[in-house]
Amino acid sequence: MAMQRRQNVRLPPEVNRILYVRNLPYKITAEEMYDIFGKYGAIRQIRVGNTTETKGTAYVVYEDIFDAKNACDHLSGFNVCNRYLVVLYYQANRAFKKMDQTKKKDELERLKAKYGLNDKK
């Protein structure tokens, strides 16, 4: 019965199985992440940021999209070590937009050099 009900539900287009989590404590471990996010369903993968740019962030991949939606709804604003979590749905187009701009700028500079163009008048 529950499976039939899930098939009839239409989810917003931004909802997917991958959650992007921000404002995590820097010292949080993968096991603690599994304890927090595992309550809402089966988890396929958790990636916790470990570089200076990605510390405090993580990606949580659920097996089921409905589990991911449930976790996002319940854990957004959840207090972990006096920090309130920001849980968002992963959006690939936003993640790669900055990288695409860098590539376009490099390509433009390469073409300017190739054809002997410069910005000075």
Side-chain angles (χ1 to χ4, degrees):
M1 182 72 176
M3 193 59 130
Q4 177 132 12
R5 187 175 45 202
R6 283 185 173 186
Q7 290 175 348
N8 295 336
V9 175
R10 286 192 48 92
L11 296 173
E14 71 272 3
V15 176
N16 63 40
R17 296 181 314 120
I18 306 171
L19 300 179
Y20 175 61
V21 185
R22 294 189 325 207
N23 204 31
L24 286 166
Y26 285 178
K27 302 286 185 187
I28 197 161
T29 64
E31 290 79 23
E32 292 170 331
M33 292 288 292
Y34 274 102
D35 289 343
I36 295 168
F37 286 88
K39 294 176 184 173
Y40 297 96
I43 295 174
R44 178 172 288 185
Q45 183 180 49
I46 292 181
R47 293 280 181 119
V48 180
N50 55 7
T51 66
T52 54
E53 294 88 20
T54 60
K55 272 195 182 285
T57 65
Y59 291 98
V60 180
V61 182
Y62 279 92
E63 293 286 342
D64 184 36
I65 193 168
F66 292 98
D67 294 338
K69 182 180 184 323
N70 192 21
C72 186
D73 292 345
H74 287 92
L75 291 176
S76 193
F78 186 74
N79 190 337
V80 177
C81 298
N82 294 324
R83 298 179 71 105
Y84 294 98
L85 298 183
V86 178
V87 182
L88 306 166
Y89 295 107
Y90 171 73
Q91 296 175 345
N93 57 351
R94 288 183 66 189
F96 293 114
K97 187 178 278 187
K98 186 175 182 180
M99 195 168 25
D100 288 343
Q101 289 175 345
T102 306
K103 285 182 182 179
K104 286 180 183 178
K105 187 176 180 181
D106 292 343
E107 178 69 14
L108 182 61
E109 293 300 322
R110 188 184 65 77
L111 288 172
K112 282 182 181 180
K114 179 179 178 180
Y115 294 107
L117 300 174
N118 56 14
D119 294 331
K120 297 177 185 176
K121 291 185 179 185

